[in-house]
């Protein structure tokens, strides 16, 4: 065991031309790893739990509350797009899953897979966006981890985030809780995120004037909870697989049918146009800043007003109802007076959309 | 918006020859995604929280306890090796981080990045190992997510896991808490995991009779807590960067020096032999089933006995002391009566070791 031989042995010296990029050594738990952490992560996410630099965070668990825990992984291509980047998505997406459980987000952790050669200024922009998104949501990143893989073994970077939240007593929306008669609302326009990603990566072949809707939805949930409480049966953010997949999952979990009426009005013209050119259905296109809610009919007007009173919900609208016909199935009225079945897609519509 | 055109449109039909492998469509939130979840994940990890198939899990938070939260990402190459696979590591590694905070692991979540073309039987073996590791540790996987990326954009699969634990009142080991006079113990032999990985991927060029030590360390922590309580100042699992990096971090965090004496006795002969051939220092080689503990001197014999009484700690031994000289620095006595500095390595020694 010779320490001296080692220090100059199999350890990677850093080639001067590469100091602007991620090196394999950034992932090895030595000085470079620490430097990455100290120079790039800590200044942006500094908080008492994270600053201790342990392998995890200690959080207070108060009273007899229940905790919500959710994990999501982000592999969106490209890494940056109008309206946000993979970092914004990684914060919003996971905090939104926590919010949809009726919980107030309280902490976030993140695991990064970095590809060797990733430009550090791109990493900086992504971390900046994460920090800003977390700050706006009022949540600290309390623990994290980075690994580096060889060039060609990832696509820039992947981020996995886990969110923790505290569930307020007596507020328990869940995909199982939809009831026949519930009104189905959507808090904003449909399809903006997915179409923006397609346009940015050139899959469309023409420009589209859309932006990703990526946003933290907890403020909307908080308003719904305060004004409608128990009448809020289901909350869901229709991300991958779009509104159609979210509604199908709820219909199945609650054993009710869903009848959509006028949902095409929730699709902005640029999204509609892009989808028509591509033969895509906007109902299957991912969203990152809207929620679908099943609300008891008696509270539906109140819920709609509350949503519309917040900037994120200005274009909220009623898109359908829960019915006792065709349980487990989602059906849309078409413009011609007929109906069509809105099923789960068999496979991939839009890979790597989030 | 035509549902019919859609169903046969840009969705990916599944080529018959590929049903044994991961498809891009497995990542799209449609029927294939669900099938992957229902056929492969749920049967193995079934528990009330996960079975609800929501976007997250609800957990009870009892009393006024504090929570430990830790996230780790696993990119080990190869995916399978003697003693375990990436799934075993992903469970043990994260639960061990939680255990090192003095917490009893209570829940686990996992995010997967799957590469298109990954053989499903390999995925099955990895999930089996995760399920078995979680069962042995007495912890449920309560939430998860899978994403699929194109062939060549990952290396089989990557797993990010997050662990939650409850911290027992009055038991707060931390990297900041080492004190001058503390005895440094290691719970088992050093270097087995890292050398096994090198041998398995052929980096060594000869065979080594070692196995990864991957294991859940919470049983050792529980014994230390019960028998030594407050005298347990620091617990750390020396994974990436090895015992040397863990000790350096503790020395710095606690502003004490560490003097190692006789640590070479903790290195098994096959590990020592492989390291000599490669010019590697076993102190920097990753471990996945041992812990380093800083214990008040008065309780050191008790701690050693308690560790040695458990199968995982049979080869536990004292490797050094915390001293007031050279704060922040780790120094090892050499066989010749001299000393050498055991510093952090500047960059990569062993990439993708965990």
């Amino acid at each position: 065991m010779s320490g001296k031989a080692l220090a100059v042995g199999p350890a990677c010296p850093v080639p001067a031309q590469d100091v602007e990029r991620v090196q394999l050594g950034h992932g090895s738990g030595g000085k470079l790893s620490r430097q990455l952490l100290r120079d790039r992560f800590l200044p942006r996410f500094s908080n008492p739990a994270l600053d201790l630099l342990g392998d995890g965070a200690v959080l207070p668990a108060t009273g007899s509350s229940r905790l919500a825990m959710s994990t999501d992984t982000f592999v969106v291509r490209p890494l940056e797009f109008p309206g946000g980047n993979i970092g914004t998505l990684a914060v919003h997406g996971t905090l939104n899953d926590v919010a949809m459980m009726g919980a107030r987000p309280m902490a976030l952790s993140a695991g990064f897979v970095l590809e060797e050669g990733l430009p550090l200024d791109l990493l900086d922009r992504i971390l900046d966006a994460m920090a800003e998104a977390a700050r706006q949501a009022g949540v600290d990143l309390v623990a994290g981890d980075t690994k580096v893989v060889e060039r060609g073994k990832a696509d820039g970077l992947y981020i996995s985030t886990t969110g923790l939240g505290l569930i307020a007593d007596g507020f328990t929306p869940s995909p199982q809780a939809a009831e026949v008669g519930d009104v189905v609302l959507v808090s904003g326009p449909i399809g903006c995120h997915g179409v923006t990603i397609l346009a940015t990566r050139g899959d469309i072949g023409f420009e589209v004037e859309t932006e990703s809707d990526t946003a933290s939805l907890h403020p909307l949930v908080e308003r719904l909870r305060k004004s409608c409480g128990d009448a809020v049966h289901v909350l869901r953010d229709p991300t991958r697989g779009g509104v159609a997949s979210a509604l199908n999952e709820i219909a199945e979990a609650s054993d009710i049918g869903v009848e959509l009426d006028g949902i095409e009005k929730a699709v902005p013209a640029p999204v509609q146009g892009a989808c028509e050119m591509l033969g895509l259905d906007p109902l299957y296109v991912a969203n990152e800043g809207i929620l679908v809610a099943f609300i008891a009919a008696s509270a539906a007007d109140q819920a709609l007003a509350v949503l519309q009173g917040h900037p994120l919900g200005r274009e909220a609208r009623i898109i359908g109802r829960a019915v006792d016909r065709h349980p487990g199935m989602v059906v849309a009225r078409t413009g011609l007076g007929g109906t069509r079945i809105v099923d789960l897609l068999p496979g991939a519509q839009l890979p790597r959309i989030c």
Side-chain angles (χ1 to χ4, degrees), chain A residues 81-94:
Chain A
F81 44 81
N85 63 34
I86 189 173
T88 339
L89 283 193
V91 172
H92 290 153
T94 289

Side-chain angles (χ1 to χ4, degrees), chain A residues 67-93:
Chain A
L67 294 170
M69 181 183 195
S70 185
T71 286
D72 218 340
T73 303
F74 298 85
V75 300
V76 66
R77 178 171 61 83
L79 295 171
E80 299 180 294
F81 44 81
N85 63 34
I86 189 173
T88 339
L89 283 193
V91 172
H92 290 153

